[in-house]
Amino acid sequence: MTRILIAEDEERIAAFIDKGLKASGYATEIVGEGGEALKLARSGKYDLLILDLGLPGKDGLEVLQ
């Protein structure tokens, strides 16, 4: 199963994305802070990262680098 990490600090947006992806059969996890997103993205457990640029802590561009 494809695992997707959703890095989004707005709960309503994250829930909307999460619901749609789960309905399509994907396994998802949501994080709301850039440092945690970076840590999880580096873990190798995820096939895809959906990344918000305006995250608290490390912003999305820092995570992407």
Side-chain angles (χ1 to χ4, degrees), residues 2-4 12 15 18 35 45 51 54 62-63:
T2 301
R3 294 186 46 89
I4 300 174
R12 291 177 65 195
D18 183 57
K45 294 184 347 182
L51 182 60
E62 290 178 280
V63 174

Side-chain angles (χ1 to χ4, degrees), residues 7-25:
E8 171 59 63
D9 60 325
E10 294 289 332
E11 289 183 30
R12 291 177 65 195
I13 295 171
F16 178 77
I17 295 168
D18 183 57
K19 183 178 179 181
L21 290 171
K22 283 183 176 174
S24 295

Side-chain angles (χ1 to χ4, degrees), residues 3 5 29 37-46:
R3 294 186 46 89
L5 178 61
E29 184 170 345
L38 179 59
K39 177 182 157 189
L40 290 174
R42 285 182 171 166
S43 73
K45 294 184 347 182
Y46 301 94

